[in-house]
Structure formats: structure tokens, C-alpha cells
Amino acid sequence: PVSVGMSMDIASIDTISEINMDYTATIFLRQRWTDERLCFDGNKSLSLDGRLVEMLWVPDTFIVDSKKSFLHDVTVENRLIRIYPNGTVLYALRITTTVSCSMDLTKYPMDKQTCTLQLESCKT
């Protein structure tokens, strides 16, 4: 197994829909792992074009309860790949996602809602 470190920042919560029972958020997702096959001599990291992600193994991370999501691509896909001499890979991307959130509005306007944003990885 490959150990993958992950961090996430919520850039914005764009909409909350009580009618559709969902919310839309833009997030910055960063993942880090080590792939010994990518080790190289040197003391500086390499930043690669995001289009090269097709040539690398990346974790198959998904957003639980996502109704729809998209990667930002103006003017190019908002993805960063940085490889360090020891084979550590940093993979970062910006995603906007709409996620289900079951809301209990029976005590409105004195209600309080808790919506989660969960990430998982497929195991194959």
C-alpha cells in the first residue's frame, strides 16, 4: 500500500440550497506520497505541467455524496505536480463540488445544520 497524506482548504462556500438539500464549495486539495520510481539526482524539485498527470499514478480520491464536481481549467487545468529528488510527489488541484446535505428544517429559523465534506479513496 501507498501512504498518501492529504490536506484540504475550503476557498469558498458558494451556495447552500435548502430546496435541493445541498451546498456548493470550492476547495484546494493537496495530496503527497512517495514513489521510489521517480527518484532522481539533484537538490531541487521539478514542477511539471498538469497535463502530465496522465503519465503518473495518482490516488483515486473521490468526494463522498458529491452530486457534481469539476476541476477548474481557466486558462489551463488548475493542477500542480511537483516531484522531489527522493521521489515524493505533491499533487494539488482546485475543485468546485456540489455535495448532498440532509437538512432538518423543522425548527426553522432556530435550527442548526451540520454538513460534511468527506473524501475517500477507492481500493481495488
Side-chain angles (χ1 to χ4, degrees), residues 48-66:
L48 305 178
D49 188 305
R51 293 173 288 191
L52 293 176
V53 74
E54 307 294 330
M55 302 174 76
L56 298 174
W57 177 87
V58 295
D60 48 356
T61 306
F62 66 94
I63 301 169
V64 178
D65 296 328
S66 175

mmCIF file of all heavy atoms in Angstrom, residues 48-66:
data_model
loop_
_atom_site.group_PDB
_atom_site.id
_atom_site.type_symbol
_atom_site.label_atom_id
_atom_site.label_comp_id
_atom_site.label_asym_id
_atom_site.label_seq_id
_atom_site.Cartn_x
_atom_site.Cartn_y
_atom_site.Cartn_z
ATOM 1 N N LEU A 48 5.928 20.063 -12.791
ATOM 2 C CA LEU A 48 5.523 19.535 -14.083
ATOM 3 C C LEU A 48 4.199 20.137 -14.525
ATOM 4 O O LEU A 48 3.368 20.521 -13.701
ATOM 5 C CB LEU A 48 5.383 18.013 -14.011
ATOM 6 C CG LEU A 48 6.607 17.238 -13.525
ATOM 7 C CD1 LEU A 48 6.280 15.755 -13.458
ATOM 8 C CD2 LEU A 48 7.801 17.479 -14.434
ATOM 9 N N ASP A 49 4.010 20.181 -15.806
ATOM 10 C CA ASP A 49 2.745 20.619 -16.387
ATOM 11 C C ASP A 49 1.648 19.669 -15.919
ATOM 12 O O ASP A 49 1.828 18.450 -15.911
ATOM 13 C CB ASP A 49 2.870 20.593 -17.909
ATOM 14 C CG ASP A 49 1.673 21.202 -18.605
ATOM 15 O OD1 ASP A 49 0.542 20.750 -18.345
ATOM 16 O OD2 ASP A 49 1.873 22.126 -19.409
ATOM 17 N N GLY A 50 0.500 20.209 -15.538
ATOM 18 C CA GLY A 50 -0.614 19.405 -15.048
ATOM 19 C C GLY A 50 -1.084 18.349 -16.018
ATOM 20 O O GLY A 50 -1.671 17.345 -15.630
ATOM 21 N N ARG A 51 -0.819 18.541 -17.306
ATOM 22 C CA ARG A 51 -1.249 17.547 -18.300
ATOM 23 C C ARG A 51 -0.464 16.245 -18.178
ATOM 24 O O ARG A 51 -0.909 15.211 -18.671
ATOM 25 C CB ARG A 51 -1.124 18.124 -19.708
ATOM 26 C CG ARG A 51 -2.118 19.274 -19.947
ATOM 27 C CD ARG A 51 -1.890 19.936 -21.255
ATOM 28 N NE ARG A 51 -0.650 20.723 -21.159
ATOM 29 C CZ ARG A 51 -0.256 21.603 -22.057
ATOM 30 N NH1 ARG A 51 -0.963 21.816 -23.132
ATOM 31 N NH2 ARG A 51 0.867 22.277 -21.881
ATOM 32 N N LEU A 52 0.690 16.285 -17.508
ATOM 33 C CA LEU A 52 1.498 15.074 -17.347
ATOM 34 C C LEU A 52 0.951 14.137 -16.285
ATOM 35 O O LEU A 52 1.461 13.037 -16.106
ATOM 36 C CB LEU A 52 2.943 15.452 -17.031
ATOM 37 C CG LEU A 52 3.692 16.148 -18.164
ATOM 38 C CD1 LEU A 52 5.078 16.568 -17.712
ATOM 39 C CD2 LEU A 52 3.785 15.259 -19.386
ATOM 40 N N VAL A 53 -0.080 14.556 -15.586
ATOM 41 C CA VAL A 53 -0.670 13.693 -14.564
ATOM 42 C C VAL A 53 -1.163 12.385 -15.174
ATOM 43 O O VAL A 53 -1.209 11.356 -14.506
ATOM 44 C CB VAL A 53 -1.807 14.419 -13.794
ATOM 45 C CG1 VAL A 53 -3.048 14.545 -14.632
ATOM 46 C CG2 VAL A 53 -2.108 13.708 -12.495
ATOM 47 N N GLU A 54 -1.496 12.397 -16.448
ATOM 48 C CA GLU A 54 -1.955 11.182 -17.137
ATOM 49 C C GLU A 54 -0.862 10.111 -17.151
ATOM 50 O O GLU A 54 -1.158 8.931 -17.295
ATOM 51 C CB GLU A 54 -2.353 11.513 -18.582
ATOM 52 C CG GLU A 54 -3.341 12.649 -18.721
ATOM 53 C CD GLU A 54 -4.708 12.343 -18.149
ATOM 54 O OE1 GLU A 54 -5.105 11.157 -18.166
ATOM 55 O OE2 GLU A 54 -5.376 13.280 -17.675
ATOM 56 N N MET A 55 0.393 10.515 -17.006
ATOM 57 C CA MET A 55 1.517 9.585 -17.101
ATOM 58 C C MET A 55 1.961 9.065 -15.733
ATOM 59 O O MET A 55 2.851 8.230 -15.657
ATOM 60 C CB MET A 55 2.684 10.270 -17.802
ATOM 61 C CG MET A 55 2.322 10.761 -19.193
ATOM 62 S SD MET A 55 3.621 11.706 -19.966
ATOM 63 C CE MET A 55 4.730 10.382 -20.414
ATOM 64 N N LEU A 56 1.369 9.563 -14.655
ATOM 65 C CA LEU A 56 1.759 9.176 -13.301
ATOM 66 C C LEU A 56 0.630 8.438 -12.601
ATOM 67 O O LEU A 56 -0.543 8.631 -12.916
ATOM 68 C CB LEU A 56 2.104 10.416 -12.468
ATOM 69 C CG LEU A 56 3.274 11.273 -12.928
ATOM 70 C CD1 LEU A 56 3.360 12.524 -12.067
ATOM 71 C CD2 LEU A 56 4.570 10.496 -12.869
ATOM 72 N N TRP A 57 1.003 7.651 -11.603
ATOM 73 C CA TRP A 57 -0.012 7.087 -10.718
ATOM 74 C C TRP A 57 -0.446 8.196 -9.769
ATOM 75 O O TRP A 57 0.381 8.920 -9.210
ATOM 76 C CB TRP A 57 0.561 5.921 -9.907
ATOM 77 C CG TRP A 57 -0.445 5.386 -8.935
ATOM 78 C CD1 TRP A 57 -1.380 4.433 -9.177
ATOM 79 C CD2 TRP A 57 -0.638 5.810 -7.584
ATOM 80 N NE1 TRP A 57 -2.144 4.236 -8.056
ATOM 81 C CE2 TRP A 57 -1.714 5.071 -7.062
ATOM 82 C CE3 TRP A 57 -0.022 6.753 -6.764
ATOM 83 C CZ2 TRP A 57 -2.184 5.227 -5.760
ATOM 84 C CZ3 TRP A 57 -0.484 6.924 -5.465
ATOM 85 C CH2 TRP A 57 -1.551 6.146 -4.971
ATOM 86 N N VAL A 58 -1.745 8.360 -9.617
ATOM 87 C CA VAL A 58 -2.287 9.297 -8.632
ATOM 88 C C VAL A 58 -3.391 8.580 -7.866
ATOM 89 O O VAL A 58 -4.051 7.682 -8.400
ATOM 90 C CB VAL A 58 -2.838 10.599 -9.278
ATOM 91 C CG1 VAL A 58 -1.732 11.401 -9.932
ATOM 92 C CG2 VAL A 58 -3.934 10.307 -10.263
ATOM 93 N N PRO A 59 -3.605 8.946 -6.617
ATOM 94 C CA PRO A 59 -4.670 8.301 -5.837
ATOM 95 C C PRO A 59 -6.036 8.547 -6.477
ATOM 96 O O PRO A 59 -6.288 9.612 -7.033
ATOM 97 C CB PRO A 59 -4.589 9.002 -4.472
ATOM 98 C CG PRO A 59 -3.255 9.661 -4.430
ATOM 99 C CD PRO A 59 -2.881 9.948 -5.844
ATOM 100 N N ASP A 60 -6.896 7.567 -6.404
ATOM 101 C CA ASP A 60 -8.245 7.693 -6.966
ATOM 102 C C ASP A 60 -9.203 8.207 -5.897
ATOM 103 O O ASP A 60 -10.093 7.518 -5.438
ATOM 104 C CB ASP A 60 -8.716 6.383 -7.585
ATOM 105 C CG ASP A 60 -8.497 5.192 -6.674
ATOM 106 O OD1 ASP A 60 -7.914 5.360 -5.592
ATOM 107 O OD2 ASP A 60 -8.922 4.087 -7.042
ATOM 108 N N THR A 61 -8.977 9.442 -5.518
ATOM 109 C CA THR A 61 -9.753 10.092 -4.466
ATOM 110 C C THR A 61 -11.083 10.589 -5.032
ATOM 111 O O THR A 61 -11.125 11.090 -6.150
ATOM 112 C CB THR A 61 -8.955 11.280 -3.897
ATOM 113 O OG1 THR A 61 -7.674 10.810 -3.495
ATOM 114 C CG2 THR A 61 -9.657 11.909 -2.723
ATOM 115 N N PHE A 62 -12.142 10.440 -4.248
ATOM 116 C CA PHE A 62 -13.436 10.976 -4.657
ATOM 117 C C PHE A 62 -14.122 11.637 -3.473
ATOM 118 O O PHE A 62 -13.776 11.398 -2.323
ATOM 119 C CB PHE A 62 -14.329 9.899 -5.289
ATOM 120 C CG PHE A 62 -14.745 8.806 -4.330
ATOM 121 C CD1 PHE A 62 -15.949 8.895 -3.648
ATOM 122 C CD2 PHE A 62 -13.936 7.702 -4.122
ATOM 123 C CE1 PHE A 62 -16.342 7.900 -2.768
ATOM 124 C CE2 PHE A 62 -14.317 6.697 -3.249
ATOM 125 C CZ PHE A 62 -15.510 6.796 -2.572
ATOM 126 N N ILE A 63 -15.081 12.491 -3.785
ATOM 127 C CA ILE A 63 -15.835 13.218 -2.767
ATOM 128 C C ILE A 63 -17.132 12.466 -2.500
ATOM 129 O O ILE A 63 -17.946 12.277 -3.407
ATOM 130 C CB ILE A 63 -16.115 14.665 -3.220
ATOM 131 C CG1 ILE A 63 -14.788 15.382 -3.480
ATOM 132 C CG2 ILE A 63 -16.959 15.400 -2.186
ATOM 133 C CD1 ILE A 63 -14.932 16.709 -4.178
ATOM 134 N N VAL A 64 -17.279 12.027 -1.260
ATOM 135 C CA VAL A 64 -18.472 11.273 -0.865
ATOM 136 C C VAL A 64 -19.690 12.193 -0.973
ATOM 137 O O VAL A 64 -19.632 13.365 -0.627
ATOM 138 C CB VAL A 64 -18.311 10.750 0.581
ATOM 139 C CG1 VAL A 64 -19.564 9.996 1.032
ATOM 140 C CG2 VAL A 64 -17.078 9.871 0.687
ATOM 141 N N ASP A 65 -20.792 11.676 -1.468
ATOM 142 C CA ASP A 65 -22.072 12.391 -1.608
ATOM 143 C C ASP A 65 -22.020 13.558 -2.591
ATOM 144 O O ASP A 65 -22.881 14.433 -2.563
ATOM 145 C CB ASP A 65 -22.583 12.896 -0.248
ATOM 146 C CG ASP A 65 -22.912 11.762 0.707
ATOM 147 O OD1 ASP A 65 -23.340 10.697 0.220
ATOM 148 O OD2 ASP A 65 -22.750 11.934 1.924
ATOM 149 N N SER A 66 -21.027 13.578 -3.471
ATOM 150 C CA SER A 66 -20.953 14.644 -4.475
ATOM 151 C C SER A 66 -22.011 14.418 -5.542
ATOM 152 O O SER A 66 -22.154 13.317 -6.068
ATOM 153 C CB SER A 66 -19.569 14.667 -5.119
ATOM 154 O OG SER A 66 -19.540 15.615 -6.158
#
